[in-house]
Amino acid sequence: MGSAKYTELGAFLRSRRGRIRPADVGLPAGPRRRVPGLRRDEVAQLAGASVDYYNELERGAGSQPSEQMIAALARALRLTADERDYLYHLAGRPVPVPGGAASHVHPGMLDLLQRMPSTPAQVITDLHVTLVQNPLAVALLGDHSGFRGTRASFLHRWFTEPEARQLYPEADHATQSRAFVADLRAAAARRDAKDTEAASMIRALLHASPEFAALWADHDVAFRREDRKRIRHPVLGLLEVNCLNLFSEDGRQRLLWFTPALGTDSADLLDLLAVLGTQDVVDPAP
């Protein structure tokens, strides 16, 4: 990289790394630490980067980081929205528009997610774009981190890609479709009148999906605050869970977590998720 901005990028990463305690991000402190904050290898681990690559970034060298890597570093370092935007500026990348897969995750929601290691949990946008998942959510629902563009929204994939519906039993599809449409209408109404993201998604779905168009014409409106769902897992079979939601103050983000439904064997099945690994989903487009 080599420019003054990249030198400042490295210094900024070092400064943010130094202010975070390992316990803040769910890492053990260890008996002997020579730095007050996180080590470089710990930041690399949290961001899903190689240690060598992260070392190069802090040195102000190497290649220009991608938008996805900047988003991952912002989450790993618990940056505020202003700090995240500054990091994009230093890296010479445009700040992503709200709602996309690289959207900034509210630090408070990240903290709560980190404190739920034994429960499948994830943070999504109001348009059902998955921003971050814990390992158990990946094991239960599949890894949604690789989807880009309109496909980043699970709601969009639900109405345009039959493979997305494999997550739920066919008998539940109609109920899920109606709930998705009512939730989208509520989310779109809550957004600013000048917002184009939700309106663009609605127009695209009206054109692409007769099912969506028919449900949209019913004018149902209701946020999905809690659900009882049946989820199909390729190994464990059918799990019945409660899906609970915590909304951010502006309603743009939601923390979802899944608990076993009472009166079922889903508690034992959820305990097996960490052993079995990830759910298979349709391959993300490049």
Side-chain angles (χ1 to χ4, degrees), residues 30 38 45 68 98 100-101 115 123 152 188 197 207 210 212 215 224 250 262 271 273 275:
L38 297 179
Q45 174 189 340
Q68 290 75 28
R115 296 174 187 274
V123 178
E197 185 186 14
H207 176 74
F212 177 87
L215 291 171
R224 299 188 77 163
D250 63 1
L262 294 177
D271 288 340
L273 282 175
V275 178

Side-chain angles (χ1 to χ4, degrees), residues 45-115:
Q45 174 189 340
L46 291 168
S50 71
V51 177
D52 288 343
Y53 178 75
Y54 182 75
N55 285 340
E56 290 290 294
L57 287 180
E58 283 209 359
R59 288 175 45 220
S63 59
Q64 182 185 27
S66 67
E67 294 178 34
Q68 290 75 28
M69 178 52 62
I70 300 170
L73 289 170
R75 294 167 188 171
L77 295 170
R78 300 299 193 267
L79 301 187
T80 66
D82 289 338
E83 289 171 335
R84 189 283 307 255
D85 292 354
Y86 182 62
L87 188 61
Y88 274 91
H89 173 70
L90 293 176
R93 297 288 189 183
V95 176
V97 297
S103 291
H104 185 59
V105 183
H106 191 290
M109 287 195 167
L110 270 180
D111 182 61
L112 284 173
L113 186 73
Q114 187 67 50
R115 296 174 187 274

Side-chain angles (χ1 to χ4, degrees), residues 105-142:
V105 183
H106 191 290
M109 287 195 167
L110 270 180
D111 182 61
L112 284 173
L113 186 73
Q114 187 67 50
R115 296 174 187 274
M116 304 171 77
S118 61
T119 301
Q122 60 185 18
V123 178
I124 69 171
T125 72
D126 57 343
L127 300 184
H128 294 263
V129 174
T130 302
L131 301 179
V132 62
Q133 299 172 284
N134 70 9
L136 284 181
V138 174
L140 178 64
L141 306 170

Side-chain angles (χ1 to χ4, degrees), residues 4 12 19 38 44 47 84 86 137 150 162 184 201 210 212-213 215 223 226:
F12 183 65
R19 70 179 183 175
L38 297 179
R84 189 283 307 255
Y86 182 62
T150 57
L184 177 58
M201 175 181 286
F212 177 87
L215 291 171
F223 281 117
E226 58 182 81

